Amino acid sequence: TELYMEHLIFSFIPSLVFVDATTGKVVCRNGLLVVRDDPKGLEFPWGPKPFAEVVAGPLLRNNRQTTDISSLEGHYVGVYFSAHWCPPCRGLTRVLVESYGTVKESGQKFEIVFVSADRSEESFKQYFSEMPWLAVPYSDEARRSRLNRLFGIQGIPTLILLDAEGHMITRQGRVEVLNDPECRLFPWHPRPVLELSESNAVQLHEGPCLVLFVDAEEEGELEPAKELIQPIAEKIMAKYKAKEEETPLLFFVAGEDDMSDSLRDYTNLPEAAPLLTILDMSARAKYVKDVEEITPAVVETFVQDFLAETLKPEPI
């Protein structure tokens, strides 16, 4: 629904992002926490630090014993931002407990660190008692805040997946856990092209998204569209991964369903199919390529022109 799309856009404001004007790289996504935690600018320019450095310190087990970051060495790590007062968080926690057990039973080294957004120590203790993994002590507000800043957390629940070296695999652990309850795709490396659905539509606010709308209603009918844009998506991902930068564009295909209709209505897109678009929700801008035939060359040119900032945006 249109109301759902409005919620996706506006539940993440106000937001303050710091950017290095020389390189264009994002320095810090969660500037509001920076302003709160470092009002005198003593840590300026607030650049990212290694996860191991930020998380360093005692970690709790729910049996009241403590450990430290040595428990994370050689493990995939999930950093779980959640709170008991948040109904979607409680729902995800129940699923995540099952997923955690499934991954551990498969023999893979996996650990989760809970970073609480609870409103009291008592609430934290009650919630953490349901979790079989580790947690940052509730009393260590500074460390919890630094972890929020490190990953630019804008809302909960959020599950960040890291590899054994502390490098980010995905910010979309929540979506992956819900879509892959048997954990067959663990550790959930990003897929070049996603099929738009209600569960992953939240990613539309992560940044600019290429969305290819096609006339497809049945399962499997989106595969040709995915195969069309996948080589371009893979090339973009590889290019920016090599530069240790975030991919500047996410890629989706969308068929004929309520989610696609809602997105078309909200962004005032024509009903044409196929329809090639780039949607930048945070900038309230769209770019539309309405041609009779979408070919790899058409997509490649469209993407390169967008990245070169030569396309003229239309307002959403």
Side-chain angles (χ1 to χ4, degrees):
T1 67
E2 185 168 320
L3 193 60
Y4 176 71
M5 296 306 302
E6 289 276 5
H7 171 74
L8 286 181
I9 305 306
F10 293 109
S11 61
F12 295 91
I13 58 173
S15 182
L16 177 62
V17 177
F18 292 107
V19 178
D20 185 331
T22 304
T23 64
K25 287 186 179 182
V26 173
V27 174
C28 176
R29 289 182 176 274
N30 210 331
L32 295 178
L33 281 179
V34 168
V35 172
R36 188 194 73 180
D37 296 346
D38 187 25
K40 295 184 179 180
L42 299 178
E43 297 181 28
F44 183 84
W46 306 304
K49 297 178 180 179
F51 169 71
E53 180 180 334
V54 178
V55 79
L59 295 171
L60 301 179
R61 300 187 187 278
N62 65 11
N63 61 4
R64 299 187 179 181
Q65 294 182 344
T66 61
T67 183
D68 56 30
I69 61 170
S70 63
S71 299
L72 306 179
E73 292 178 2
H75 287 61
Y76 292 109
V77 176
V79 190
Y80 184 37
F81 298 85
S82 185
H84 188 266
W85 55 261
C86 162
C89 294
R90 296 197 302 271
L92 179 60
T93 296
R94 287 191 289 271
V95 178
L96 187 55
V97 168
E98 296 296 324
S99 297
Y100 178 79
T102 298
V103 173
K104 299 280 270 189
E105 288 169 8
S106 74
Q108 300 197 69
K109 293 185 175 181
F110 180 42
E111 193 51 81
I112 295 176
V113 178
F114 170 44
V115 184
S116 173
D118 286 295
R119 292 166 176 161
S120 69
E121 176 97 30
E122 191 60 36
S123 180
F124 161 75
K125 288 180 179 177
Q126 178 186 350
Y127 194 29
F128 184 44
S129 70
E130 305 169 9
M131 303 176 183
W133 45 73
L134 307 177
V136 174
Y138 184 81
S139 59
D140 197 341
E141 184 176 355
R143 187 160 34 138
R144 290 191 289 120
S145 182
R146 286 196 298 271
L147 285 163
N148 273 272
R149 285 165 47 188
L150 177 66
F151 295 113
I153 303 303
Q154 300 290 327
I156 56 173
T158 293
L159 177 64
I160 305 288
L161 267 294
L162 308 175
D163 65 18
E165 285 73 46
H167 300 136
M168 188 183 298
I169 296 174
T170 180
R171 302 178 61 85
Q172 301 300 330
R174 172 189 182 183
V175 173
E176 299 294 350
V177 165
L178 295 176
N179 286 344
D180 183 27
E182 296 181 357
C183 305
R184 292 177 178 174
L185 299 177
F186 180 85
W188 302 304
H189 287 282
R191 294 183 293 284
V193 183
L194 298 174
E195 296 183 14
L196 183 67
S197 66
E198 189 166 327
S199 65
N200 64 31
V202 66
Q203 293 180 247
L204 292 170
H205 78 259
E206 287 285 331
C209 298
L210 182 144
V211 184
L212 173 57
F213 293 89
V214 294
D215 185 9
E217 297 181 2
E218 302 297 327
E219 186 175 348
E221 290 185 348
L222 288 173
E223 284 305 314
K226 290 173 68 175
E227 292 172 1
L228 177 75
I229 63 176
Q230 180 144 333
I232 296 132
E234 289 176 341
K235 184 164 69 173
I236 294 293
M237 288 179 66
K239 176 182 177 181
Y240 284 87
K241 183 177 181 180
K243 297 195 293 183
E244 297 186 348
E245 296 180 11
E246 289 190 30
T247 302
L249 198 59
L250 300 178
F251 293 81
F252 291 85
V253 293
E256 297 292 329
D257 56 29
D258 291 343
M259 187 69 242
S260 298
D261 291 344
S262 175
L263 181 57
R264 281 184 187 263
D265 290 344
Y266 184 78
T267 55
N268 196 28
L269 289 170
E271 292 297 324
L275 182 68
L276 184 62
T277 68
I278 292 175
L279 306 175
D280 189 344
M281 297 298 200
S282 61
R284 305 300 298 269
K286 64 184 177 184
Y287 307 82
V288 181
K289 190 76 172 179
D290 187 0
V291 294
E292 288 188 7
E293 184 180 6
I294 306 293
T295 65
V298 168
V299 178
E300 176 90 33
T301 301
F302 189 54
V303 168
Q304 295 304 329
D305 287 348
F306 171 77
L307 296 177
E309 300 182 0
T310 59
L311 297 179
K312 184 178 179 180
E314 301 175 41
I316 290 179

